[in-house]
């Protein structure tokens, strides 16, 4: 966002694009309050099928791991999507296309964004690529040690598996023995003026709301029950639309999912591991039958996608995170790693 603003202030026509409806609508909503015209600077990856070549000075393609094969949503005769590669459309749309991506955030079947894809497309088009690896990050309070620990925990890109947790000055991590204990902790943070959300793996059904707009409490663990975030596109009865779940004050108390959490950050993240990813013996086991997401559970790389999902959910917090698994053996593994146990209902109370 800082790059987009700086470029436009210098008279350079810059546009932001993503593949996320929630992220784009939230950005537009926030910007429209200050400058309605500026909201036009936020677009989608599939907006450039018929764009005039180089009509934009700089196109910032955020979360480019979410690129699709093409911008055509239709499939012809049950075959592959037709049309030009989406990455080529984006490269051609701007004098300087910028792709920001994290390959460990590929969480859906059909997402194809990668460094290699962009290099290959650019080479085919005769476009020079300058690759910059961002060694420093602001995610999780600028705490790369925590991000590395999560990736090791989930077996993503590191030789070593789960490592003992070593307390950090800039980031808090806890394990909860019950979802109620997690929620109590996060609510206390909300009461202190911080932002907090709970999100879960897609392991429970997702019902339509009742006639009066009331959300059904689909996420059930013992006697603890909460609804998923609303799927509606508009606020109803004080319940925020899906695109604003992560930022609207009334989003707390609903359980978010990867579709509403990815791309956003809040101060404290509560992560509920479902039974689609459990720890057995010395490693993770992915269980398709426990996953309710049709976009994922039939994918050939299901195990990788579900681990990426929990990696994303666990790295939304800027100041801290709380982990809880519905599977007792997995939750016990978290405790064995030395993660402090939360205080609260079902635990020993927190500091």
């Amino acid at each position: 966002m800082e790059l987009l603003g700086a470029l436009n202030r210098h008279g350079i026509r810059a546009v932001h694009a993503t593949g996320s409806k929630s992220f784009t609508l939230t950005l537009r909503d926030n910007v429209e309050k200050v400058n309605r015209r500026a909201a036009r600077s936020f677009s989608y990856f599939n907006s450039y099928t018929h764009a005039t070549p180089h009509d934009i000075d700089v196109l910032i393609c955020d979360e480019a791991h979410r690129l699709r094969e093409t911008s055509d949503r239709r499939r012809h005769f049950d075959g592959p999507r037709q049309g030009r590669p989406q990455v080529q459309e984006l490269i051609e749309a701007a004098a300087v296309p910028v792709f920001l991506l994290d390959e460990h955030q590929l969480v859906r079947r059909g997402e194809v964004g990668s460094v290699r894809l962009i290099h290959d497309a650019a080479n085919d088009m005769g476009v020079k690529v300058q690759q910059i690896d961002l060694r420093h990050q602001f995610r999780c309070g600028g705490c790369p040690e925590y991000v590395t620990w999560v990736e090791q925990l989930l077996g993503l890109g590191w030789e070593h598996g789960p490592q003992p947790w070593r307390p950090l000055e800039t980031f808090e991590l806890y394990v909860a023995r019950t979802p109620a204990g997690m929620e109590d902790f996060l609510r206390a943070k909300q009461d202190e003026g911080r932002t907090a959300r709970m999100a879960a793996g897609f392991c429970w059904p997702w019902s339509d709301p009742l006639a009066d707009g009331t959300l059904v409490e689909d996420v059930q663990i013992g006697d603890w029950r909460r609804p998923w975030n609303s799927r509606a596109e508009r606020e109803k009865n004080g319940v925020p639309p899906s695109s604003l779940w992560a930022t609207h004050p009334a989003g707390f108390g609903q359980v978010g999912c990867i579709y509403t959490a990815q791309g956003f950050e809040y101060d404290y993240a509560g992560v509920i591991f479902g039974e689609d990813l459990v720890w057995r013996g010395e490693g993770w086991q992915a269980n398709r039958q426990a996953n309710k997401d049709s976009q994922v559970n039939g994918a050939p790389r299901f195990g990788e996608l579900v681990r990426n999902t929990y990696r994303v959910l666990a790295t939304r917090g800027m100041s801290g995170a709380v982990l809880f698994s519905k599977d007792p053996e997995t939750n016990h593994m978290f405790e064995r790693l030395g993660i402090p146990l939360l205080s609260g209902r079902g635990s020993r109370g927190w500091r």
Side-chain angles (χ1 to χ4, degrees):
M1 292 306 99
E2 290 184 13
L3 174 61
L4 181 68
L7 290 171
N8 283 315
R9 283 193 296 273
H10 284 84
I12 298 171
R13 191 183 174 217
V15 176
H16 180 275
T18 77
S20 169
K21 183 177 181 180
S22 293
F23 193 32
T24 299
L25 290 179
T26 297
L27 292 172
R28 287 177 178 172
D29 182 71
N30 289 331
V31 170
E32 278 181 346
K33 297 172 184 175
V34 180
N35 185 336
R36 292 187 65 86
R37 291 186 61 189
R40 301 175 191 168
S41 297
F42 300 98
S43 62
Y44 297 103
F45 292 153
N46 61 4
S47 302
Y48 297 92
T49 301
H50 305 293
T52 302
H54 300 172
D55 189 45
I56 302 167
D57 295 329
V58 178
L59 179 59
I60 302 171
C61 300
D62 203 355
E63 305 239 322
H65 42 269
R66 300 197 61 183
L67 289 171
R68 297 284 177 164
E69 184 181 348
T70 76
S71 296
D72 186 356
R73 295 180 177 229
R74 297 166 298 172
R75 289 182 181 273
H76 299 269
F77 306 106
D78 295 323
R81 286 185 172 89
Q82 304 298 306
R84 195 172 179 206
Q86 189 175 77
V87 64
Q88 289 188 8
E89 295 174 353
L90 296 168
I91 291 173
E92 189 175 76
V96 180
V98 178
F99 294 88
L100 305 172
L101 73 158
D102 177 352
E103 292 181 1
H104 286 320
Q105 289 201 48
L106 280 167
V107 297
R108 299 167 185 79
R109 179 169 51 185
E111 293 179 342
V112 299
S114 69
V115 173
R116 173 50 52 198
L117 176 83
I118 295 165
H119 272 281
D120 288 348
N123 288 338
D124 289 344
M125 299 172 71
V127 176
K128 182 179 178 181
V129 176
Q130 182 174 355
Q131 180 173 330
I132 301 172
D133 296 319
L134 301 178
R135 300 180 183 275
H136 301 286
Q137 60 178 304
F138 295 100
R139 180 170 293 133
C140 301
C143 186
E145 298 91 345
Y146 172 67
V147 177
T148 297
W149 183 87
V150 169
E151 291 173 353
Q152 291 174 329
L153 171 71
L154 295 169
L156 295 170
W158 297 88
E159 284 185 28
H160 305 293
Q163 298 297 301
W165 172 250
R166 307 196 185 284
L168 300 168
E169 291 185 4
T170 57
F171 195 86
E172 301 177 70
L173 180 64
Y174 299 98
V175 59
R177 283 186 175 165
T178 67
M182 168 189 287
E183 186 177 30
D184 286 349
F185 174 82
L186 297 175
R187 182 177 287 107
K189 292 299 180 183
Q190 285 264 128
D191 292 344
E192 293 172 4
R194 312 300 294 274
T195 56
R197 293 292 184 274
M198 295 177 293
F202 209 151
C203 296
W204 290 266
W206 199 329
S207 303
D208 290 330
L210 303 179
D212 64 357
T214 301
L215 301 179
V216 178
E217 294 181 330
D218 282 316
V219 183
Q220 302 181 20
I221 302 172
D223 60 359
W224 184 86
R225 301 182 176 193
R226 292 294 179 271
W228 288 110
N229 61 261
S230 171
R231 287 190 289 191
E233 296 188 1
R234 291 189 176 138
E235 182 174 336
K236 185 173 183 179
N237 297 335
V239 177
S242 60
S243 60
L244 300 182
W245 166 82
T247 57
H248 194 290
F252 186 81
Q254 303 153 30
V255 179
C257 67
I258 186 62
Y259 298 108
T260 47
Q262 189 173 31
F264 296 97
E265 293 177 314
Y266 16 89
D267 293 327
Y268 286 85
V271 186
I272 299 174
F273 281 68
E275 293 178 316
D276 57 352
L277 188 67
V278 298
W279 185 265
R280 293 291 181 268
E282 298 298 320
W284 291 106
Q285 290 185 9
N287 178 12
R288 293 177 188 271
Q289 285 67 43
N291 188 282
K292 308 297 183 184
D293 187 354
S294 60
Q295 293 293 315
V296 173
N297 57 29
R301 297 159 55 198
F302 172 76
E304 179 185 353
L305 295 180
V306 77
R307 283 183 290 130
N308 282 349
T309 293
Y310 287 113
R311 188 259 195 189
V312 171
L313 298 182
T315 54
R316 298 304 91 193
M318 294 183 287
S319 299
V322 182
L323 307 182
F324 167 79
S325 177
K326 182 184 177 185
D327 175 67
E329 187 173 336
T330 304
N331 218 48
H332 185 54
M333 184 270 287
F334 293 155
E335 292 186 39
R336 291 201 312 270
L337 293 176
I339 305 172
L341 184 64
L342 258 192
S343 42
R345 276 190 282 171
S347 298
R348 296 194 299 256
W350 64 83
R351 298 174 244 176

